[in-house]
Amino acid sequence: MTSLKIKNFIKCFLRTSRNSKYVLQMHTNEEPKVSFRGSEKMYFEFKVTSDRAKNGVRKYKECLFNEKIDTFWIYSEDVIDKWTNLVKTVIDVFKFIEHIVIFDVDKFPTKNKSIVDFIKSQTPSIECCDFYGVAETDKDVEYFLNNLNVTKFVGFNLKLSDSFKFPQYNYLDVCCLDPGNWVIFDQLLHLQASRLLIHGSPLTNEELNSFLILWMTSKCHQNLSYLLININDPQSLDIIFDLPHERINPDVERIGRLPNNETVSIRGEIDIKRNDGMTGTICFGWRLDKMFLEMVVSQIE
């Protein structure tokens, strides 16, 4: 941003260097942010502020797990316009292996559509997205997911209407919905992810039973590695397990392998078998006053 000569030099250097693993994060919060991370847990953040007193302020901090964050504030009367210019600059200069969008739907509600259109013009496919805020309607989230292809992670941290329909049916590594008040049985069958985490769904124990039976007969979610889902009626767990199952020693640990070769473990209470030999190990836990079911899928020799 200081000069065309510097920009071209950096672009040339980055394109000839090896092992460049940069991750871009675009955040549309009150101070829209552009950040990128290199391979050594070092984050560089540019925040656009409408507070003139913050212009040029720079802060450096070290966090847990050896993460380091260098933050620089830039003043602008039109923070979104300045933010889009920042995004254009870093995408032009750096070659990113991953694009992350953190979308606050209530910070710039009149500009949400144009923000999505802009991101699409820069990168029509992104790896991860998180939604935050208080949504007056479902339209902004629907427009985002209808126009940007998300390939790895989707996180909902906002409440949508009970009639919301998830518009993408492509396979994800992780889908985390909190709350998932709109996840009825039909929606559950269409949420394809290796790790599926749902809080606050209206699903009944009968529907959870039907879901597990479909999984056991390989009729849904064959790529599922991990499931966490709320239980609305803890007093009638027998309804969920009105299916072939085996109670196991709670000290037995099962380890499931995820698509990225990471593992997830669980100390089980119940085993259920799929017709191809895979085992779903289930236990129960509590999140505040809400009970949830947790399942890890593994191959038991």
Side-chain angles (χ1 to χ4, degrees):
M1 294 172 64
T2 56
S3 75
L4 183 61
K5 183 178 180 180
I6 290 293
K7 180 178 177 181
N8 289 334
F9 173 78
I10 296 298
K11 285 172 70 173
C12 180
F13 171 77
L14 291 173
R15 289 175 181 174
T16 56
S17 63
R18 297 182 179 181
N19 301 320
S20 295
K21 296 181 179 180
Y22 295 98
V23 174
L24 172 66
Q25 184 183 99
M26 298 166 275
H27 193 165
T28 64
N29 59 354
E30 190 171 347
E31 292 183 331
K33 178 176 71 176
V34 179
S35 70
F36 53 96
R37 185 191 74 216
S39 57
E40 297 181 358
K41 296 186 178 182
M42 182 72 198
Y43 292 80
F44 295 93
E45 295 184 341
F46 293 89
K47 290 186 176 182
V48 186
T49 179
S50 59
D51 182 357
R52 193 184 296 270
K54 286 186 176 181
N55 188 45
V57 172
R58 187 170 187 171
K59 288 186 178 180
Y60 174 83
K61 64 179 179 180
E62 296 187 4
C63 307
L64 296 175
F65 310 112
N66 295 320
E67 289 186 342
K68 304 172 183 65
I69 302 175
D70 200 358
T71 305
F72 189 83
W73 276 265
I74 302 172
Y75 166 77
S76 177
E77 291 183 359
D78 187 337
V79 293
I80 290 298
D81 181 66
K82 187 67 173 179
W83 176 80
T84 58
N85 286 330
L86 279 170
V87 173
K88 287 178 182 177
T89 299
V90 296
I91 286 181
D92 183 35
V93 173
F94 291 87
K95 184 177 181 180
F96 293 105
I97 61 169
E98 195 169 272
H99 303 77
I100 299 170
V101 177
I102 301 175
F103 198 62
D104 281 275
V105 299
D106 57 354
K107 298 306 181 186
F108 305 96
T110 62
K111 297 186 177 182
N112 281 340
K113 183 177 181 295
S114 61
I115 290 171
V116 172
D117 292 340
F118 166 73
I119 296 173
K120 183 178 180 180
S121 72
Q122 301 300 306
T123 173
S125 180
I126 61 175
E127 284 70 31
C128 308
C129 69
D130 253 320
F131 295 95
Y132 289 88
V134 179
E136 294 184 6
T137 71
D138 300 338
K139 290 183 179 179
D140 288 329
V141 176
E142 289 172 345
Y143 189 79
F144 185 106
L145 293 172
N146 278 321
N147 286 274
L148 291 167
N149 182 41
V150 187
T151 61
K152 289 185 178 180
F153 174 92
V154 171
F156 282 15
N157 305 278
L158 77 176
K159 187 173 183 178
L160 300 169
S161 74
D162 293 345
S163 59
F164 175 76
K165 296 285 189 295
F166 195 79
Q168 287 192 12
Y169 293 123
N170 52 307
Y171 178 75
L172 299 166
D173 285 350
V174 183
C175 184
C176 183
L177 311 174
D178 186 10
N181 56 291
W182 49 271
V183 183
I184 59 176
F185 186 68
D186 183 61
Q187 291 269 49
L188 175 63
L189 296 183
H190 285 95
L191 291 172
Q192 298 296 324
S194 175
R195 282 177 282 180
L196 190 55
L197 301 90
I198 303 172
H199 296 283
S201 81
L203 294 164
T204 66
N205 287 6
E206 288 84 359
E207 288 171 327
L208 292 177
N209 168 264
S210 297
F211 173 79
L212 293 176
I213 290 174
L214 289 173
W215 178 84
M216 293 168 70
T217 54
S218 297
K219 293 180 180 177
C220 76
H221 291 74
Q222 287 183 275
N223 292 317
L224 185 68
S225 299
Y226 176 81
L227 171 69
L228 186 150
I229 193 164
N230 63 286
I231 295 175
N232 289 313
D233 185 6
Q235 304 304 318
S236 57
L237 296 181
D238 57 312
I239 294 176
I240 299 177
F241 294 102
D242 184 18
L243 47 73
H245 66 276
E246 177 186 357
R247 293 196 174 272
I248 62 173
N249 188 323
D251 291 330
V252 172
E253 184 181 31
R254 303 279 195 239
I255 298 176
R257 186 164 295 279
L258 304 171
N260 59 2
N261 284 325
E262 291 182 1
T263 59
V264 58
S265 64
I266 194 173
R267 293 195 180 277
E269 299 178 31
I270 293 173
D271 273 351
I272 60 175
K273 295 284 188 180
R274 200 163 66 187
N275 59 6
D276 62 354
M278 299 298 288
T279 297
T281 301
I282 296 172
C283 72
F284 304 96
W286 292 86
R287 186 193 193 210
L288 299 178
D289 61 340
K290 302 296 183 182
M291 191 178 196
F292 61 82
L293 176 152
E294 193 175 12
M295 181 172 81
V296 165
V297 179
S298 61
Q299 177 77 59
I300 300 176
E301 301 297 336

